[in-house]
């Protein structure tokens, strides 16, 4: 991962969405970049990954003429800092480039592809052909020296400029044979230098597309679903009725859940349950006294989706449950149930 002279992108996801919906706002740059991948619904929805997950960014990048073209995949983190990944040419005939990229933390990122002119690769290609053939030798060597001098302006800030300066001096050293001067200025060390600090001209970015990076648990995990009132439920011999379990008694089950290798304990709805058309045992339509009803019939005078069923406990009890889960290496998920009983306090009667 390198950091060439690209400006940080601080566009918000909302602004990115607006740009994507109006493609005419961002015309082609000097180096056309097309067909960026991945792309979800034309960019109206974010691509997704998890932290430290590798994925591929690809695009078609091309130009007119014979000068060398190159490309860089750029991920911009939530702080607006660009992370650059050199792309490789996978299909010269179709101008397809790709790079394996990775985001190192969760949050809203963006990704784009920068197409750019590569003066270094252009000169190496042309100079090798002409100098080895003895054609325009001094002209090609001087062109190389001037190209390297232009690159020094960007590479000086990155340190180790001596190698570039030495190459400029070698190209202009007429006391040495032309091929020796060429070989020095196209040495493996210079190739390594420009791979690390590319000399980019005519940089043409694609639109920046939204990327949602989530925790690794969003990619995979083992979930254990429980009905909290079933954990700790018992028969009251004196009263002759069943007593429901609570969030605190359900917490006692968590060590066993963790021991089975689960990552998440998943609660069915824990909200108050309506009484209108309440169902009885085994999903029957006949209700007896004490039947709790379906937890998916949410809402009663005790509250709605922002409340806890009083049989299960209080929010303090819920905090106890969550704390016990964390101590056992578990996370807690709650069913997002949108169903509502006619008794729901939010229902307009």
């Amino acid at each position: 991962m390198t950091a060439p002279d690209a400006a940080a992108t601080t566009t918000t996801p909302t602004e990115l969405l607006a740009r994507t919906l109006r493609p005419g706002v961002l015309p082609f740059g000097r180096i056309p970049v097309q067909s960026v991948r991945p792309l979800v619904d034309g960019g109206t929805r974010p691509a997704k990954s998890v932290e430290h997950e590798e994925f591929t960014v690809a695009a078609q990048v091309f130009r007119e003429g014979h000068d060398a073209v190159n490309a860089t995949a750029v991920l911009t983190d939530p702080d607006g800092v660009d992370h650059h990944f050199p792309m490789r040419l996978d299909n010269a005939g179709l101008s397809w480039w790709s790079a394996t990229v990775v985001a190192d933390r969760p949050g809203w990122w963006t990704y784009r592809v920068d197409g750019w002119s590569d003066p270094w690769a252009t000169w190496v290609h042309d100079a090798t052909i002409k100098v080895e053939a003895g054609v325009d030798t001094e002209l090609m060597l001087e062109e190389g020296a001037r190209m390297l001098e232009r690159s020094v302006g960007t590479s000086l800030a990155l340190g180790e400029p001596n190698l570039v300066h030495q190459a400029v001096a070698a190209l202009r050293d007429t006391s040495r044979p032309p091929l020796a001067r060429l070989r020095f200025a196209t040495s493996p060390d210079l190739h390594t230098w420009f791979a690390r600090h590319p000399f980019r001209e005519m940089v043409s970015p694609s639109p920046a597309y939204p990327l949602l990076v989530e925790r690794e648990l969003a990619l995979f995990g083992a979930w254990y679903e429980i009905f909290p009132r079933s954990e700790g439920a018992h028969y009251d011999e004196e009263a002759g009725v069943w007593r429901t379990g609570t969030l605190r008694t359900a917490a006692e089950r968590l060590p066993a859940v963790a021991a089975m290798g689960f990552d998440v304990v998943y609660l069915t709805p824990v909200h108050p349950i309506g009484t209108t058309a309440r169902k009885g045992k085994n999903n029957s339509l006949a209700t007896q006294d004490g039947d709790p009803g379906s937890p998916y019939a949410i809402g009663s005078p005790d509250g709605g989706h922002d409340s806890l069923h009083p049989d299960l406990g209080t929010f303090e009890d819920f905090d106890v449950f969550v704390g016990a889960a964390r101590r056992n290496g578990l996370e807690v998920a709650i069913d997002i149930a949108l169903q509502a009983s006619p008794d729901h306090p939010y229902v307009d009667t």
Side-chain angles (χ1 to χ4, degrees), residues 5 147-158 161 164-165 199:
D5 59 326
M147 179 273 298
L148 290 174
E149 286 177 332
R150 293 204 316 275
S151 77
V152 167
T154 58
S155 59
L156 265 176
L158 302 173
V164 177
H165 291 161
F199 178 32

Side-chain angles (χ1 to χ4, degrees), residues 75-129:
L75 267 59
T76 305
D77 66 28
D79 295 326
V81 178
D82 284 348
H83 303 261
H84 294 78
F85 300 84
M87 301 185 81
R88 58 186 175 274
L89 181 60
D90 296 328
N91 188 320
L94 296 179
S95 303
W96 272 110
W97 296 72
S98 70
T100 300
V101 303
V102 61
D104 60 5
R105 59 190 169 101
W108 278 103
W109 294 58
T110 63
Y111 61 99
R112 71 177 190 270
V113 172
D114 287 349
W116 45 280
S117 176
D118 190 340
W120 160 254
T122 299
W123 177 78
V124 170
H125 174 269
D126 295 347
T128 299
I129 293 174

Side-chain angles (χ1 to χ4, degrees), residues 296-314:
Y296 293 91
I298 297 170
S300 79
D302 291 317
H305 284 76
D306 58 352
S307 303
L308 289 170
H309 197 299
D311 287 353
L312 297 179
T314 65

Side-chain angles (χ1 to χ4, degrees), residues 14-293:
T14 301
E15 291 170 334
L16 293 175
L17 181 60
R19 287 185 178 184
T20 305
L21 292 173
R22 297 181 289 115
V25 173
L26 293 176
F28 281 135
R30 182 64 177 78
I31 308 294
V33 178
Q34 296 181 338
S35 305
V36 176
R37 298 177 181 174
L39 203 60
V40 182
D41 288 347
T44 60
R45 299 178 185 274
K48 293 183 179 182
S49 73
V50 300
E51 55 186 330
H52 307 299
E53 178 188 14
E54 293 184 345
F55 65 97
T56 299
V57 172
Q60 288 181 297
V61 183
F62 55 92
R63 67 179 303 176
E64 88 298 338
H66 301 286
D67 286 358
V69 64
N70 214 320
T72 306
V74 184
L75 267 59
T76 305
D77 66 28
D79 295 326
V81 178
D82 284 348
H83 303 261
H84 294 78
F85 300 84
M87 301 185 81
R88 58 186 175 274
L89 181 60
D90 296 328
N91 188 320
L94 296 179
S95 303
W96 272 110
W97 296 72
S98 70
T100 300
V101 303
V102 61
D104 60 5
R105 59 190 169 101
W108 278 103
W109 294 58
T110 63
Y111 61 99
R112 71 177 190 270
V113 172
D114 287 349
W116 45 280
S117 176
D118 190 340
W120 160 254
T122 299
W123 177 78
V124 170
H125 174 269
D126 295 347
T128 299
I129 293 174
K130 290 193 173 184
V131 173
E132 288 183 351
V135 177
D136 297 332
T137 299
E138 291 302 323
L139 173 63
M140 294 307 300
L141 295 177
E142 178 60 23
E143 281 189 0
R146 296 189 182 191
M147 179 273 298
L148 290 174
E149 286 177 332
R150 293 204 316 275
S151 77
V152 167
T154 58
S155 59
L156 265 176
L158 302 173
E160 305 178 20
N162 290 340
L163 184 62
V164 177
H165 291 161
Q166 291 170 9
V168 171
L171 288 170
R172 289 176 173 155
D173 184 1
T174 56
S175 67
R176 301 174 63 184
L179 274 176
R181 294 148 63 188
L182 174 70
R183 296 289 182 265
F184 187 93
T186 59
S187 67
D189 288 342
L190 262 297
H191 279 279
T192 300
W193 167 264
F194 281 102
R196 292 177 177 173
H197 313 298
F199 178 32
R200 312 194 312 164
E201 291 188 331
M202 303 180 187
V203 178
S204 304
S206 73
Y209 297 103
L211 171 68
L212 177 58
V213 180
E214 300 186 276
R215 298 174 301 147
E216 186 178 87
L217 198 58
L219 186 63
F220 65 90
W223 290 39
Y224 186 88
E225 182 177 11
I226 66 172
F227 284 80
R229 66 173 58 245
S230 297
E231 297 294 340
H234 63 281
Y235 188 72
D236 187 334
E237 297 285 353
E238 291 187 11
V241 296
W242 280 94
R243 302 297 185 187
T244 180
T246 66
L247 288 165
R248 287 182 180 265
T249 58
E252 298 174 8
R253 174 67 172 161
L254 296 177
V257 173
M260 290 186 284
F262 287 94
D263 304 299
V264 179
V265 57
Y266 173 39
L267 299 176
T268 51
V270 292
H271 316 294
I273 299 171
T275 56
T276 299
R278 175 178 285 190
K279 289 190 175 182
K281 297 177 181 178
N282 300 320
N283 209 34
S284 71
L285 299 180
T287 307
Q288 299 178 9
D289 291 340
D291 286 345

Side-chain angles (χ1 to χ4, degrees), residues 305-336:
H305 284 76
D306 58 352
S307 303
L308 289 170
H309 197 299
D311 287 353
L312 297 179
T314 65
F315 279 100
E316 181 181 350
D317 297 322
F318 185 82
D319 291 341
V320 169
F321 182 89
V322 173
R326 289 175 176 170
R327 288 193 297 274
N328 285 279
L330 296 166
E331 295 202 24
V332 178
I334 301 178
D335 194 331
I336 302 178

